[in-house]
Amino acid sequence: MTKPYRIMFVCLGNICRSPMAELLLKDMVKRAGRENEFIIESSATSDENVFNGVGAPVYYHTRALLESKGISCAGKRAQVLEKRHGAQFDLFLCMDGANVRNATRILGAENAHKIKKLLSYAGESGDVADPWYTRDFERSYSDVKRGLEGLLASLQ
Ligand code: 4NP
């Protein structure tokens, strides 16, 4: 068996967009019978949602949206992207340009070739907007889903 492909999703807070991507991709690969092919996590470039070493759960509105699609957020807690992750993952998929800059700062230039925007897999140059600020959770979800569909197609 070949080694699993290790994907880390990255956003600012790890309570909205990157957990959406992590949990939706886990659901998609499970449905496709491909869960053994992947290791999937998500993390934040800020430490806003980690308190005394304990990560916050997925934000209420994101959790409600995912649960409405049959996807559980149980057990997911925010974590901060760290330098050590550079050696532990093959791909870092960011939600926006600021995430790419911050992830590159954290992981170092030697990992820059592994850091991309998720929507580039949908052939798009745009960002997944932060629903923490836009309050448009459905829009962020559909952007994430499009990126993931492109990603999975590229990893056949
Ligand atoms: P996310 O959204 O990056 O999609 O998880 C945010 C959630 C919380 C904060 C920032 C962004 N915050 O500053 O607490």
Side-chain angles (χ1 to χ4, degrees), residues 10-19 43-46 48-49 59 62 95-96 99 128-133 140:
V10 178
C11 66
L12 178 60
N14 195 213
I15 59 172
C16 291
R17 294 166 294 173
S18 63
S43 60
T45 59
S46 87
E48 286 289 320
N49 297 297
Y59 182 56
T62 300
M95 300 300 140
D96 61 36
N99 301 155
V128 178
D130 193 339
W132 183 258
Y133 300 106
S140 298

Side-chain angles (χ1 to χ4, degrees), residues 12 45 81 97-107:
L12 178 60
T45 59
L81 180 67
N99 301 155
V100 171
R101 287 191 293 282
N102 289 321
T104 306
R105 181 177 50 74
I106 293 167
L107 297 170

Side-chain angles (χ1 to χ4, degrees), residues 82-149:
E82 294 175 2
K83 173 83 183 173
R84 67 182 168 85
H85 290 128
Q88 296 171 352
F89 288 85
D90 302 303
L91 188 60
F92 295 86
L93 286 179
C94 297
M95 300 300 140
D96 61 36
N99 301 155
V100 171
R101 287 191 293 282
N102 289 321
T104 306
R105 181 177 50 74
I106 293 167
L107 297 170
E110 69 272 28
N111 288 302
H113 62 289
K114 298 193 213 170
I115 303 172
K116 294 176 184 166
K117 285 207 291 190
L118 174 59
L119 277 176
S120 68
Y121 283 90
E124 299 174 30
S125 60
D127 295 337
V128 178
D130 193 339
W132 183 258
Y133 300 106
T134 66
R135 312 310 293 173
D136 192 343
F137 291 85
E138 285 285 353
R139 169 78 191 275
S140 298
Y141 177 83
S142 67
D143 287 349
V144 163
K145 188 157 186 261
R146 228 170 34 255
L148 294 178
E149 285 164 351

